[in-house]
């Protein structure tokens, strides 16, 4: 299930409404004889839209490119006609209050009478897309009902470009007469745009400074845009129309965007007492099936971007229903009227936080957001100087393009381990790469660190990001200690536990694995027997194989037969001692053998009180880099660890090497095993006590002591 949060942001909305009606300046209203020739001197103004923290209206949004009048007799006569004024238009520019004015270049012939005048400008606009132009060209006049019902239709237009906006005006009770002096009548028109302008500005609030946060808007999309509206203002009588959704569009670099739309008159929302109630929805956030309180068909905007702070980051989106919910409107208002300019100022104060200022009159906007989290859930811990497999946990929520990269070649990555790596082997062949994909969900990544034989702690930076937002990375710094050098020898830095010296296991330290019976599961028995034969299991002296027929029936591992007598006798060569112990009668393969048996679904007949495959020399040997050998027989494949002589550098120190272990930053403390066995018997080995200058004391091999691996320069 997707996890959602509320993005609480501060939105200030300013609606500048220009409701100026067309006016009749003739003033007489007297009854005159209809149909006589007369002259008209016309003055026209296009109201400006007041600016509030936004750019000025584009010049062509207030320009008239074409203008016609449709005149209908108010006396019920047939003196109805149209006048194309386009060729008479003269642009007088803008006034001090931002109004654009026009006049006529010459007198226009009209007819006497009292009329209702319908003025239409820019009927060829892509926002008009009506059949009015054919009437202007032909000189025919539609009925008033036809004219009122005429639609401006645009199912994909959101930007004006180089065109012009349709504007209309209706003036009733206009009387033209033949004047006694110059025969010229006057008429003033105040045209209103048939569309609305919507502008957004998105910015970060001061509250984000406390969490080192920022929100960077990238795209937006508009939903429920009316495909058409009445060409002439019908008040609250909204046309029945289809709706369309815009394409996803880019937000400007300064965090602003704008678009034009047909008016969308909607009834008041229900059950709304606070702003959050406007956005309550049903269904999936990115595809809501309905809104509980917003009227059907209400226009809304979804803003997409990237949010990050010092605790979380990811792509986010939030939704705002349009409407006049400013201090001059109502929280229940979802209407966008013609000739309105809506200015929305969005201040993001946190991914789920809102700061409310007392002087803010407009309610804060709460848009539900979907957080696609991609983050490290592990905390960095410093790593040791030897070869290391370092697990790091990552959480990816609703992410399909996660990436993790390493900035250094000595640290590589993978999201799973091979069977050998599960047993603790650092396998060169399977160490991964410097860049990996991160799947959705919780993932454990394994960082493979090469040894650090330098003099100082080194760092690698892991960068976690989405490919679609590669500029926004979460970083995880991995530190690795150097070897703690003392002359020509150095030791590891972090002790990972205590171990027995080994090879003195109590009598009866053995386990038996039984294969399925022939009549129980012959195929499983045959398969397990084949795999075990592939390992060469019978070559180990401490392994008993029971094979009553052609296939194996049981395997017994007798650890108590391994006492390592006569090996690891050197006082000075810990590397030789470690090699002898690790390879003693194939004991190094015992852990692989047990893992293989249990990987076949077999279970031991008992739980041993200690793990004979974990002993001091092996713990040190596992600090090295291994390769692997692959053996196959038919479709069967077996991987075995291989330690090349050139890669064998870490070992358990001999008794005369142990006193050279020095670590001023992480001092040694207590007793440590050496790799030197007691000169007589098979029960004891030498130990070294931190702070002393020699390793002359013996300890029983079953005792668990500290262990530090060493290496030469």
């Amino acid at each position: 299930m997707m996890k959602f949060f509320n993005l609480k942001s501060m939105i200030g909305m300013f609606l500048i409404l220009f409701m100026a009606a067309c006016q009749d300046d003739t003033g007489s209203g007297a009854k005159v004889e209809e149909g006589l020739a007369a002259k008209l001197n016309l003055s026209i103004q296009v109201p400006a839209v007041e600016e509030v923290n936004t750019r000025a209206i584009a010049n062509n949004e207030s320009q008239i490119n074409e203008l016609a009048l449709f005149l209908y007799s108010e006396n019920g006569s047939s003196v109805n006609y149209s006048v194309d004024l386009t060729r008479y238009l003269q642009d007088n520019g803008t006034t001090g209050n931002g109004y654009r004015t026009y006049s006529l270049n010459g007198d226009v012939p009209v007819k006497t009478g009292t009329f209702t005048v319908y003025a239409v400008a820019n009927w060829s606009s892509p926002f008009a897309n009506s059949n009015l132009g054919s009437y202007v060209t032909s000189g025919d006049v539609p009925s008033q009902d036809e004219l009122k019902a005429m639609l401006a239709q645009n199912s994909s237009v959101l930007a004006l470009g180089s065109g012009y906006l349709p504007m209309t005006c209706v003036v009733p009770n206009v009387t033209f007469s033949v004047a006694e002096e110059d025969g010229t009548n006057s008429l003033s028109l105040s045209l209103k745009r048939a569309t609305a302008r919507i502008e957004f500005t998105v910015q970060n609030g001061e509250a984000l400074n406390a969490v080192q946060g920022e929100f960077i808007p990238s795209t937006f999309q508009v939903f429920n845009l009316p495909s058409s509206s009445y060409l002439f203002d019908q008040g609250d009588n909204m046309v029945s129309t289809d709706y369309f959704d815009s394409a996803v569009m880019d937000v400007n670099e300064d965090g602003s965007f704008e678009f034009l739309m047909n008016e969308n008159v909607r009834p008041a929302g229900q059950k709304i007492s606070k702003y959050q109630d406007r956005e309550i929805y049903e269904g999936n956030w990115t595809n809501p099936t309905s809104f509980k309180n917003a009227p059907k068909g209400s226009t809304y905007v979804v803003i997409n971007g990237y949010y990050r702070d010092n605790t979380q980051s990811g792509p986010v989106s939030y939704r705002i229903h349009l409407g006049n919910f400013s201090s001059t409107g109502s929280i229940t208002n979802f209407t966008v009227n013609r000739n309105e300019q809506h200015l929305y100022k969005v201040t993001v104060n946190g991914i789920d936080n809102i700061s409310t200022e007392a002087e803010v009159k407009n309610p804060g906007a709460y848009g539900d957001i979907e957080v696609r989290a991609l983050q490290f859930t592990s905390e960095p811990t410093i790593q040791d100087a030897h070869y290391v497999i370092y697990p790091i946990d990552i959480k990816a929520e609703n992410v399909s393009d996660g990436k993790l990269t390493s900035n250094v070649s000595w640290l590589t990555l993978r999201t799973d381990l091979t069977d050998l790596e599960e047993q603790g082997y650092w396998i060169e062949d399977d160490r991964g790469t410097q860049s990996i994909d991160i799947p959705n969900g919780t993932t454990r990544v394994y960082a493979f660190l090469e040894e650090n034989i330098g003099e100082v702690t080194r760092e690698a930076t892991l960068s976690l990001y989405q490919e679609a937002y590669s500029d926004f990375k979460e970083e995880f710094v991995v530190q690795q200690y150097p070897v703690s050098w003392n002359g020509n020898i150095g030791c590891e830095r972090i002790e990972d536990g205590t171990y027995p010296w080994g090879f003195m296991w109590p009598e009866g330290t053995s386990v038996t694995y039984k294969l399925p019976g022939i009549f129980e599961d012959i195929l499983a028995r045959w398969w397990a027997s084949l795999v075990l034969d592939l390992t060469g299991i019978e070559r180990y002296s401490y392994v008993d194989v029971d094979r009553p027929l052609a296939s194996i029936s049981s395997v017994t591992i007798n650890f108590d037969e391994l006492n390592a007598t006569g090996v690891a006798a050197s006082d000075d060569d810990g590397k030789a001692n470690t090699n002898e112990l690790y390879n003693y009668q194939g004991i190094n393969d015992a852990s692989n053998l047990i893992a293989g048996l249990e990987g076949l679904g077999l279970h031991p007949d008992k739980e041993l009180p200690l793990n004979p495959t974990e002993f001091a020399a092996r713990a040190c040997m596992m600090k090295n880099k291994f390769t692997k050998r692959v053996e196959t027989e038919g479709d069967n494949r077996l991987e075995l660890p291989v330690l090349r002589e050139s890669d064998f550098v870490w070992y358990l120190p001999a008794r005369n090497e142990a006193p050279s272990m020095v670590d001023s930053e992480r001092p040694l403390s207590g007793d440590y095993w050496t790799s030197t066995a007691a000169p007589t018997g098979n029960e004891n080995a030498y130990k070294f006590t931190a702070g002393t200058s020699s390793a002359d004391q013996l300890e029983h091999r079953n005792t668990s002591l500290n262990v530090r691996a060493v290496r030469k320069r």
Side-chain angles (χ1 to χ4, degrees), residues 460-486:
T461 300
L462 304 184
S463 297
L464 181 64
Y465 59 93
Q466 287 185 256
E467 287 191 276
Y469 298 89
S470 58
D471 290 340
F472 303 97
K473 296 180 172 69
E474 183 172 349
E475 294 185 344
F476 187 97
V477 177
V478 178
Q479 292 184 305
Q480 185 182 27
Y481 282 124
V483 176
S484 182
W485 294 109
N486 181 20

Side-chain angles (χ1 to χ4, degrees), residues 236 257 262 365 453 537 560 685:
D236 292 337
F257 62 89
N262 288 328
I453 58 175
I537 191 171
D560 54 4

Side-chain angles (χ1 to χ4, degrees), residues 248-295:
V248 177
M249 296 171 284
D250 291 333
V251 174
N252 298 325
E253 290 186 3
D254 62 357
S256 67
F257 62 89
E258 58 197 36
F259 59 92
L260 298 167
M261 61 176 286
N262 288 328
E263 68 175 344
N264 192 8
V265 179
R266 296 288 89 202
Q270 303 297 314
K271 299 179 181 179
I272 297 176
S273 59
K274 56 185 181 299
Y275 186 84
Q276 299 96 310
D277 298 337
R278 292 173 62 92
E279 307 299 341
I280 296 176
Y281 64 93
E282 295 177 341
N284 186 284
W285 191 93
T286 56
N287 185 26
T289 56
S290 65
F291 295 96
K292 288 188 175 181
N293 302 324

Side-chain angles (χ1 to χ4, degrees), residues 44-86:
I44 309 160
Q45 69 175 11
V46 179
V49 178
E50 181 181 345
E51 293 181 50
V52 181
N53 296 328
T54 186
R55 69 161 183 81
I57 290 295
N59 200 41
N60 57 340
E61 291 181 31
S62 60
Q63 285 182 328
I64 299 175
N65 186 54
E66 51 194 2
L67 178 67
L69 303 180
F70 290 83
L71 300 95
Y72 296 87
S73 172
E74 292 192 356
N75 297 324
S77 70
S78 60
V79 183
N80 301 328
Y81 64 100
S82 65
V83 180
D84 185 356
L85 303 177
T86 303

